[in-house]
Amino acid sequence: MQHVMKPNRPVGIVGYGAYIPAFRIMSRDISRLWRNEQDLNYLPIEQKSVPGADEDTITMSIEAANNALARARVNPNLIRAIWVGSESHPYAVKPSGTVVAEALEISPHAVSGDFEFACKAGTEAIQAAIGFVGSSMADYALAVGMDTAQGRPGDALEYTAAAGGAAFIIGPAEQAVATIEGSYSYVSDTPDFFRRAYQKFPEHGNRFTGEPAYFHHLRNSVGTLMEEMALKAHDFDYAVFHQPNTKFPVKLAKELGFTRDQIKDGLLVPKIGNTYAGAAVLGLTAILDIAKPGSRILAASFGSGAGSDAFCLSINNQIEEVRTLAPMTTHYVRRSVVIDYGTYARWRTKIIQT
Amino acid sequence: MDIPRYWRLRNQRYKLEGSRCKACGKLFFPPRQICTKCKKREMEPYRFSGRGTIYSYTTVYQTSERFEKQLPSIFAIVKLEEDVLVTAQLADIQEWAVKIGMEVKMVVRKIYEEKQTGPIMYGYKFRPLIDVD
Ligand SMILES: [Zn+2]
């Protein structure tokens, strides 16, 4: 039985856009406050992105989707689905997608709903969009992976929980800058990380988050995709994996036979942190910004709870025309206004006033 | 702002939609019903590009409770490229970096949240340019 998924009509990415907030906090400053810098040699990343007090998953999705629309050069009225994947939707009830649609002049002839699957909510939306366009129910669908992740003050997650993401307009392959050659998803009930209703901060299973969660699911998703498509690591020019820290994706890449060179361009976590539903897809935009026509990309997310989506993409000639139509991912990575822990705590409402 | 009013104004708040006089072409933001130049009443919606320059600015340190989280806030008069002035907050910038004449671009941001349980009000602000913007 074939497990790799391919739609009836070939589809691809016709437009893509990134967004990362301007502000950064240094891991050193978090360590100074909670650990007296005792863990300075073991910090998982250098710095992470912090959303401004006026930013959330909706405003950030609008920015990324605007960039995707600029590159896609399609009439927004032809976009028939707006799916935002996030674990930090501003409302518990009221879709993020309708605000995005209104701001982009997409509405009203569209479906819209929020996706939630921890860090793979964005790629889940992409899978749905592939099916929607691939079945010819629509010509274009917008899928966004975006988060403003929160870690409990002093918790290990506080070093990495960051903000950012990417938007993709999925459309017919003949108009695509990157064709999706195949995809595969793998899920199992694994309680490695979760947040109960009405809770502000998530819980995680410490060491349980590695081997049975991140590595197991990614190994299976990427392994099955490559095996069934008869592709080896050296058949790809680039690979990007979910990146909760620097160590995990580097270790996984090595195990799967990918070189440091293949993963370096999509590895943004040291400079911006773990952007959760935005992480793998932001790495993908950084690769799309530089990849030459004809090159092949492997992109795989991981979401706690748990599952992984893996995609095989090939770059088309149109990519050269669209890159400069919106800000590139490296520009968002580079723009950096460093703030102190106090400002960060106030903006992220970690200070509770009673 | 009450919910019906917020809903009614969403085109100007999300898309910088003003109005254009069909008779003489004068542009307005926020939209107007009657042209101040030719006094005609025939207006059509006009979406501004969202690009402009900082005409003037000031920093606000004291405000009502609902805006407190974002203090200090920089308010600017932005001269849109269509030669219309609009007052709005600046985003992603600290006061020392603001310069008169600086190029800015419109973005949608949170203006305020109606306490813990009410609606979140989104609207236009302006930020410095990034890369190819
Ligand atoms: Zn007139």
Side-chain angles (χ1 to χ4, degrees):
Chain A
M1 184 186 157
Q2 175 83 13
H3 298 97
V4 165
M5 299 185 281
K6 291 179 184 179
N8 286 334
R9 161 162 86 154
V11 304
I13 296 168
V14 299
Y16 68 95
Y19 185 75
I20 306 165
F23 305 98
R24 303 284 180 274
I25 183 165
M26 308 300 292
S27 298
R28 201 190 321 120
D29 290 344
I30 299 175
S31 169
R32 186 174 300 143
L33 186 75
W34 296 105
R35 302 273 185 278
N36 198 20
E37 301 192 349
Q38 169 265 332
D39 55 354
L40 222 50
N41 294 328
Y42 310 98
L43 297 178
I45 55 170
E46 295 162 42
Q47 58 178 28
K48 68 167 184 175
S49 61
V50 179
D54 59 0
E55 293 188 282
D56 63 19
T57 289
I58 287 178
T59 66
M60 291 162 53
S61 295
I62 292 171
E63 301 228 16
N66 253 324
N67 290 338
L69 198 58
R71 287 197 175 103
R73 298 173 290 181
V74 299
N75 181 342
N77 280 323
L78 299 175
I79 298 172
R80 305 295 303 277
I82 311 99
W83 287 317
V84 180
S86 180
E87 64 130 73
S88 45
H89 291 287
Y91 286 96
V93 177
K94 186 190 182 312
S96 299
T98 54
V99 187
V100 177
E102 193 79 51
L104 266 68
E105 298 196 303
I106 291 175
S107 30
H109 309 289
V111 296
S112 182
D114 292 344
F115 279 75
E116 189 282 311
F117 195 147
C119 298
K120 92 170 185 81
T123 53
E124 189 82 31
I126 293 174
Q127 288 285 39
I130 293 171
F132 205 55
V133 176
S135 68
S136 298
M137 272 179 76
D139 280 335
Y140 303 98
L142 171 65
V144 183
M146 191 65 68
D147 257 313
T148 56
Q150 282 269 41
R152 192 183 301 283
D155 185 274
L157 283 182
E158 197 185 25
Y159 285 116
T160 52
F168 299 88
I169 296 171
I170 304 296
E174 58 272 19
Q175 298 165 30
V177 299
T179 301
I180 296 162
E181 297 186 314
S183 65
Y184 172 70
S185 296
Y186 180 91
V187 295
S188 81
D189 176 13
T190 308
D192 57 315
F193 167 103
F194 47 83
R195 179 164 62 82
R196 295 278 302 275
Y198 311 114
Q199 296 301 301
K200 188 172 169 67
F201 301 112
E203 299 295 326
H204 57 93
N206 287 310
R207 286 173 198 289
F208 191 62
T209 58
E211 192 47 45
Y214 180 88
F215 291 100
H216 174 79
H217 292 82
L218 274 160
R219 201 179 282 140
N220 274 286
S221 67
V222 175
T224 304
L225 184 77
M226 285 170 59
E227 192 188 318
E228 292 194 7
M229 294 188 72
L231 293 168
K232 300 264 185 275
H234 66 251
D235 293 318
F236 292 92
D237 299 280
Y238 302 92
V240 57
F241 304 107
H242 178 52
Q243 35 203 278
N245 50 44
T246 313
K247 195 169 79 180
F248 279 19
V250 169
K251 187 178 167 207
L252 178 81
K254 196 174 172 191
E255 186 192 309
L256 294 170
F258 292 93
T259 64
R260 188 80 197 206
D261 235 31
Q262 284 168 295
I263 63 163
K264 67 175 197 309
D265 296 299
L267 195 64
L268 308 177
V269 65
K271 296 288 181 202
I272 61 165
N274 177 7
T275 54
Y276 285 52
V281 289
L282 254 179
L284 175 59
T285 65
I287 292 170
L288 292 173
D289 278 346
I290 55 162
K292 295 212 161 37
S295 48
R296 189 179 274 138
I297 305 170
L298 177 85
S301 64
F302 167 73
S304 292
S308 173
D309 301 313
F311 303 86
C312 173
L313 304 108
S314 62
I315 302 291
N316 302 331
N317 293 328
Q318 291 98 309
I319 194 108
E320 313 269 17
E321 300 159 29
V322 309
R323 272 183 191 137
T324 53
L325 299 179
M328 293 197 192
T329 305
T330 50
H331 286 95
Y332 283 110
V333 173
R334 262 187 255 140
R335 80 174 179 150
S336 144
V337 179
V338 176
I339 57 169
D340 58 17
Y341 195 94
T343 306
Y344 163 72
R346 186 165 74 99
W347 283 358
R348 302 301 283 142
T349 49
K350 286 167 190 278
I351 302 166
I352 308 299
Q353 291 169 315
T354 50
Chain B
M1 190 182 298
D2 60 15
I3 289 175
R5 182 172 150 80
Y6 174 72
W7 177 76
R8 237 178 10 253
L9 298 181
R10 68 194 190 283
N11 281 340
Q12 45 172 291
R13 296 171 63 90
Y14 294 177
K15 293 182 270 195
L16 217 61
E17 188 179 288
S19 60
R20 183 179 174 278
C21 173
K22 281 184 174 176
C24 76
K26 192 170 168 60
L27 299 171
F28 298 93
F29 189 88
R32 295 186 76 108
Q33 307 287 331
I34 304 168
C35 178
T36 53
K37 192 174 162 196
C38 72
K39 310 295 174 201
K40 296 243 167 52
R41 284 169 179 271
E42 279 192 47
M43 292 285 192
E44 60 188 0
Y46 181 89
R47 187 175 177 178
F48 288 85
S49 73
R51 288 161 189 282
T53 52
I54 296 177
Y55 179 80
S56 185
Y57 69 95
T58 186
T59 305
V60 173
Y61 297 92
Q62 293 285 335
T63 181
S64 62
E65 197 184 332
R66 58 164 60 134
F67 297 104
E68 259 175 9
K69 196 184 155 195
Q70 295 181 26
L71 288 178
S73 301
I74 308 168
F75 279 83
I77 298 173
V78 172
K79 187 174 189 175
L80 300 173
E81 64 179 0
E82 296 90 347
D83 213 21
V84 170
L85 296 176
V86 52
T87 303
Q89 268 175 275
L90 298 183
D92 301 347
I93 192 164
Q94 289 163 329
E95 194 188 10
W96 58 266
V98 183
K99 303 234 173 350
I100 304 276
M102 183 181 222
E103 283 186 84
V104 289
K105 189 183 174 187
M106 177 260 187
V107 288
V108 176
R109 291 294 169 91
K110 260 193 301 195
I111 305 301
Y112 65 90
E113 295 173 33
E114 198 67 84
K115 302 214 168 63
Q116 292 283 306
T117 52
I120 304 167
M121 304 299 191
Y122 297 96
Y124 55 83
K125 291 191 182 183
F126 288 81
R127 65 151 167 78
L129 301 190
I130 303 167
D131 184 25
V132 297
D133 258 354

